[in-house]
Amino acid sequence: MLIKTLVENTTISNDFGKEHGLSLYIETGKHKILFDVGASDLFLQNAKKLDVNIADIDFLVISHGHYDHGGGLKTFFKENTRAEVFVHRLAFGKHYAIRSNDELDFIGLAEELKHNKQIVFTSDRFFINSRIQVFSNVLQREPRLKSNNGLLRKHEVQGQMLDDTFAHEQHLVIEEEGTILLVTGCAHNGIINILEHFYMLKGQMPDYVIGGFHLSSRSGGDEDSEMIDRIGKYLMGTKAKFYTCHCTGIEPYKRLKANMGDNIDYLSTGNQIKI
């Protein structure tokens, strides 16, 4: 598998734009896959520089209903009119964030896009084909991350603001030639919970994990060092190779790296890896 980072908070050089968001291109032996589309049309600009033709994408997975992962959807639909777009059925809900100045910002997806004919709504465990699936409804064994504080959802009927349970978050699993890759968008449900849920489904841990771990947030701040160390110890125990990015945060990543060494690396915009 070939993975190219189209959008991330940081960049390997000034040749590529960066933004608070995530978009990954994943090429398998049979498919060209896009995982998230960042916050704007930047994914398209960087894709051209990385020799990725968005019109050739076979399908797109949107990890959850936040703008920094689905803000580029309108652009995607203009560039690609054939690919199925897999979105959790709750992803177009009303999602908000309390900012440091106590203002409430809408951080959800553009609601008018949910009627696009390319969208396929998913839930729980959804098989795209025999080797590619998404799963959600992650069981909450571990406590809620502090970095999720200030992230809210609006009740559809009663209208009050509630803590987001991130039921709209889904994760991608790709199996190829005996290798299993797990891709997370932000891991709002907790990377330990997600890996435990994966193990419950598959009976083994993945070989590779790519994505954000949400250990840092503009709303909730960084996770405590004790929690980061605990997560690092757990990740080491899985024997998987981790590539993280986006909402993990640079300082939490540095602490994970100090504890995990070569078992974890960081992906910036422009990075390309083969697994």
Side-chain angles (χ1 to χ4, degrees), residues 37-69:
V37 284
S40 67
D41 65 354
L42 182 61
F43 80 96
L44 177 62
Q45 299 173 39
N46 287 333
K48 293 175 181 177
K49 296 174 183 177
L50 289 165
D51 296 321
V52 173
N53 186 350
I54 296 301
D56 290 340
I57 296 296
D58 296 309
F59 60 83
L60 162 64
V61 173
I62 298 296
S63 63
H64 62 297
H66 287 171
Y67 78 96
D68 50 330
H69 297 260

Side-chain angles (χ1 to χ4, degrees), residues 127-145:
F127 287 86
I128 295 170
N129 60 39
S130 62
R131 292 295 180 182
I132 303 174
Q133 64 177 285
V134 294
F135 70 90
S136 54
N137 198 25
V138 169
L139 300 177
Q140 296 298 306
R141 296 181 174 90
E142 295 289 316
R144 177 184 173 91
L145 293 170

Side-chain angles (χ1 to χ4, degrees), residues 139-154:
L139 300 177
Q140 296 298 306
R141 296 181 174 90
E142 295 289 316
R144 177 184 173 91
L145 293 170
K146 184 181 77 172
S147 52
N148 284 327
N149 292 344
L151 296 177
L152 309 174
R153 62 184 175 91
K154 190 174 185 178

